[in-house]
């Protein structure tokens, strides 16, 4: 029996090309103002993040239409709630200030990763805001690294965080479970589509040769090594992922979740949303757990932690609205 070939969405390819061009332009623009005052660098990076966020949100209905999937949104993603935040929850200004003290390639990697993460967050919020969308698949941009190839061979529920590495260019494809197989990547076919040199680069020479000799990709590759969701940026003691910057885990209903104290000032949308929903159990619990914070700096959940604790799609949308990520 012939192996079923996965479908490639033209709209997804176009979205990826547009994203790649914007990311490249954003990195170039940021590099040009790297030595200027931090406020200028922040302005440039934020402008490109806004563009990428908007493009990603608009790409979701196009990808659904190409799949003949109808799923009306019940909320609208809001970039403002993310504008001052890096993807791990720390202040974007802090990360950029740190980044411009590094060598050029490290600075470019930081900027590019922030831009790519912003696009994926926009796509995720746009998908979650549509109750008819049950999850997503991962579209590769070949040649891809070994970890991405393994992770691309599955359908993920909407509340599963998108695993990525720095400079990861994989695309978040909204999908429904009963048709997702048509979109999921066959890791073996992806491997076979690469040249020998590309295989060696992605899997190492020994690993690639083992696969060519019949070894199972999943046995050769530790898919999660070097991968994390946007709110997790480093691996700490005991092989546990930990956050840096202002992102921190707190006990919320007995679970360690990522929060941020950024973007919750009295003038911020997220603070007003929290103020107007005092009866909300999650917000009240976070305030009790975080008594060391002042009311104007009450911590709030990052989007992926909301997905993690939400009891249902409706609950996820309610919490996203509470913290200003959608409206």
């Amino acid at each position: 029996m012939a192996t079923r070939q996965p479908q490639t969405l033209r709209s997804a390819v176009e979205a990826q090309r547009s994203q790649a061009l914007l990311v490249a332009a954003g990195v170039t623009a940021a590099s040009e103002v790297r030595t200027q005052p931090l406020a200028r660098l922040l302005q440039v990076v934020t402008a490109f993040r806004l563009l990428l966020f908007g493009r990603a949100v608009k790409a979701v209905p196009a990808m659904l239409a190409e799949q003949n999937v109808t799923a009306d949104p019940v909320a609208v993603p809001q970039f403002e709630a993310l504008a001052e935040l890096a993807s791990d929850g720390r202040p974007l200004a802090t990360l950029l200030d740190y980044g411009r003290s590094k060598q050029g390639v490290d600075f470019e990697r930081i900027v590019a990763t922030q831009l790519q993460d912003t696009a994926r967050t926009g796509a995720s919020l746009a998908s979650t805001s549509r109750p008819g969308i049950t999850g997503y698949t991962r579209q590769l941009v070949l040649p891809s690294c070994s970890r991405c190839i393994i992770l691309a061979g599955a359908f993920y529920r909407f509340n599963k965080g998108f695993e990525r590495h720095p400079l990861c260019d994989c695309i978040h494809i909204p999908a429904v479970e009963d048709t997702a197989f048509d979109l999921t990547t066959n890791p073996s076919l992806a491997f076979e589509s690469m040249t020998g040199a590309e295989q060696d680069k992605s899997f190492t020479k020994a690993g690639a040769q083992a696969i060519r000799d019949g070894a199972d990709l999943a046995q050769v590759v530790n898919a999660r090594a070097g991968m994390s969701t946007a709110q997790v940026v480093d691996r700490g003691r005991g092989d546990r992922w930990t956050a840096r910057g202002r992102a921190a885990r707190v006990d919320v209903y007995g679970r360690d979740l990522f929060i941020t104290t950024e973007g919750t000032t009295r003038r911020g949308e997220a603070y007003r949303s929290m103020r107007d929903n005092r009866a909300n159990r999650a917000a009240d619990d976070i305030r009790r757990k975080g008594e060391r914070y002042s009311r104007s700096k009450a911590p709030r959940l990052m989007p992926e932690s909301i997905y993690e604790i939400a009891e249902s799609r409706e609950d996820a949308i309610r919490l996203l609205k509470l913290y200003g990520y959608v409206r």
Side-chain angles (χ1 to χ4, degrees):
M1 179 181 294
T3 303
R4 186 173 179 180
Q5 296 283 348
Q7 174 187 357
T8 299
L9 297 180
R10 183 179 62 181
S11 54
V13 173
E14 292 174 351
Q16 190 282 325
R17 289 174 179 169
S18 175
Q19 176 178 316
L21 290 173
L22 274 176
V23 169
V27 170
T28 298
S31 297
E32 290 175 350
V33 299
R34 176 183 172 189
T35 59
Q36 294 185 23
L38 179 59
R40 176 56 178 159
L41 173 60
L42 184 62
Q43 180 184 44
V44 169
V45 173
T46 300
F48 276 94
R49 289 181 71 211
L50 176 59
L51 284 172
L52 282 156
F53 185 90
R55 294 277 183 93
V57 169
K58 291 181 180 179
V60 168
M63 287 187 275
L64 294 176
E66 191 171 349
Q67 298 175 61
N68 295 316
V69 173
T70 300
D72 295 328
V74 297
V76 180
Q78 301 296 310
F79 175 74
E80 291 78 5
L82 299 164
E84 297 179 359
L85 299 177
S87 55
D88 64 356
R90 83 180 84 180
L92 179 62
T94 299
L95 178 60
L96 293 178
D97 195 32
Y98 164 78
R100 63 181 183 167
S101 69
K102 310 299 288 183
Q103 295 183 359
V105 65
D106 293 326
F107 173 76
E108 292 174 359
R109 181 182 296 110
I110 287 172
V111 172
T113 298
Q114 290 305 303
L115 296 177
Q116 291 162 334
D117 279 348
T118 299
R120 280 188 284 264
T121 299
S124 176
L125 290 174
S127 298
T128 303
S129 298
R130 291 171 163 79
I133 302 306
T134 54
Y136 68 92
T137 64
R138 183 190 198 98
Q139 178 164 302
L140 300 174
V141 182
L142 293 173
S144 295
C145 75
S146 60
R147 298 156 295 176
C148 289
I149 289 176
I150 294 297
L151 292 175
F155 169 80
Y156 301 94
R157 303 294 297 177
F158 83 93
N159 56 354
K160 173 66 174 176
F162 195 102
E163 299 281 347
R164 93 286 189 267
H165 55 80
L167 297 181
C168 179
D169 58 2
C170 292
I171 296 293
H172 180 289
I173 307 294
V176 292
E177 193 165 9
D178 58 349
T179 61
F181 181 82
D182 292 331
L183 303 173
T184 55
T185 298
N186 183 310
S188 296
L189 289 179
F191 177 84
E192 293 169 3
S193 71
M194 298 163 65
T195 66
E198 291 171 342
Q199 292 171 350
D200 291 347
K201 182 178 180 180
S202 295
F203 293 83
T204 75
K205 288 185 178 180
Q209 187 58 52
I211 296 170
R212 289 192 286 265
D213 289 341
D216 182 75
L217 272 74
Q219 296 298 319
V220 173
V221 180
N222 178 1
R224 299 179 69 86
M227 305 290 277
S228 71
T229 55
Q231 279 71 56
V232 190
V233 295
D234 199 8
R235 188 182 292 249
R237 292 183 179 180
D239 205 36
R240 295 182 62 186
W241 291 106
T242 57
R244 293 188 181 275
R246 295 293 292 280
R249 279 192 180 272
V250 298
D251 184 345
V252 182
Y253 298 138
R255 301 181 68 174
D256 289 334
L257 299 172
F258 279 100
I259 62 170
T260 178
T261 60
E262 299 305 312
T264 54
T265 62
R266 291 186 183 276
R267 291 178 296 176
E269 179 64 31
Y271 172 78
R272 290 194 296 272
S273 187
M274 291 176 72
R275 177 199 63 197
D276 295 337
N277 291 273
R278 293 172 186 263
N280 183 275
R281 293 186 306 140
D284 287 345
D285 187 76
I286 292 172
R287 290 194 185 100
R288 288 195 298 271
K289 299 294 185 180
E291 291 177 354
R292 65 185 180 278
Y293 297 102
S294 66
R295 182 177 296 274
S296 63
K297 282 292 185 179
R300 63 186 174 115
L301 296 176
M302 294 296 287
E304 291 189 4
S305 286
I306 288 175
Y307 300 149
E308 187 177 336
I309 68 167
E311 298 178 355
S312 64
R313 175 63 63 88
E314 293 73 18
D315 192 37
I317 294 174
R318 177 179 63 83
L319 289 173
L320 289 171
K321 287 182 177 179
L322 173 66
Y323 295 109
Y325 297 116
V326 301
R327 184 180 300 168

